[in-house]
Amino acid sequence: APVDESLPPAQDAPEELALQGHRPPPPKKASAPAAPPRQPTHAYLATSVQPAVRHALRSVAALRPYDPCQVAADAIRSWTPDSKPPGLSAGREKLRTGEYLESTGLLGVLHAGMCAVNRARPADPRVYLADYISENAVAPPPVEVPDYVKALEGFGTEEQLSKLEKMHEETRATLEAVNEA
């Protein structure tokens, strides 16, 4: 095939262009890898905290502790894939599990905490959630002090001792009646 000598050889093309005042385009820069797409909320929470939250809820439901928020936070913080939650006991609770969890206020704190985890997307979402629950825990209800304990505060006289003994006898009689029934 005949060669057109009016065209410069291929390797000389950039030099020829430079001599004519044209510069070759700069080499393409390697682009930075694109950030991975943000996971949808449900997928992120399912992979980051959901198993630990299930473990915590089951632990709280089984133990029925005085301070359920602290127990839940500790369970989430210490959860591992090998963690075994306590079994749920049947029949001894006055409230069903769902009603109990709602009555503690834990579910509201947990929901707000999971929303905060989703917004922040921290490096360790379990610890973040546990800290959130601890910091925003609902105060446990006050403990009802029995009358006989209140009576002990003024303890000291014979009259008070006899009243206390009478209260103990009444309590024993009530317990025996309940046990016989």
Side-chain angles (χ1 to χ4, degrees):
V3 176
D4 186 359
E5 292 185 20
S6 64
L7 294 175
Q11 70 264 14
D12 294 339
E15 292 172 9
E16 285 292 320
L17 291 174
L19 291 175
Q20 296 172 6
H22 297 288
R23 297 183 188 254
K28 292 186 177 182
K29 295 179 181 177
S31 61
R38 185 176 166 109
Q39 278 185 307
T41 298
H42 67 280
Y44 172 72
L45 293 175
T47 58
S48 62
V49 295
Q50 185 179 22
V53 168
R54 284 185 179 167
H55 174 79
L57 289 174
R58 191 165 180 151
S59 296
V60 168
L63 299 173
R64 307 265 171 139
Y66 175 69
D67 189 356
C69 289
Q70 191 58 49
V71 170
D74 292 343
I76 290 169
R77 192 175 284 114
S78 64
W79 179 85
T80 66
D82 299 327
S83 296
K84 301 285 187 232
L88 295 175
S89 58
R92 71 174 176 89
E93 295 86 13
K94 293 179 184 175
L95 294 174
R96 292 184 338 202
T97 301
E99 292 170 345
Y100 168 74
L101 291 172
E102 287 177 19
S103 72
T104 63
L106 172 62
L107 295 181
V109 174
L110 189 57
H111 179 264
M114 290 176 76
C115 290
V117 166
N118 185 51
R119 280 191 301 275
R121 303 275 174 132
D124 192 344
R126 284 186 309 106
V127 171
Y128 186 93
L129 179 59
D131 291 345
Y132 182 93
I133 292 170
S134 293
E135 292 167 7
N136 296 285
V138 176
V143 176
E144 180 73 28
V145 178
D147 291 337
Y148 72 91
V149 173
K150 291 177 185 175
L152 288 174
E153 292 175 1
F155 187 70
T157 65
E158 288 296 320
E159 180 184 14
Q160 290 168 339
L161 281 173
S162 65
K163 285 181 180 179
L164 185 60
E165 186 59 35
K166 183 180 176 187
M167 289 173 66
H168 280 259
E169 289 173 12
E170 291 171 356
T171 303
R172 282 189 205 113
T174 303
L175 289 174
E176 287 174 5
V178 168
N179 288 335
E180 290 175 5

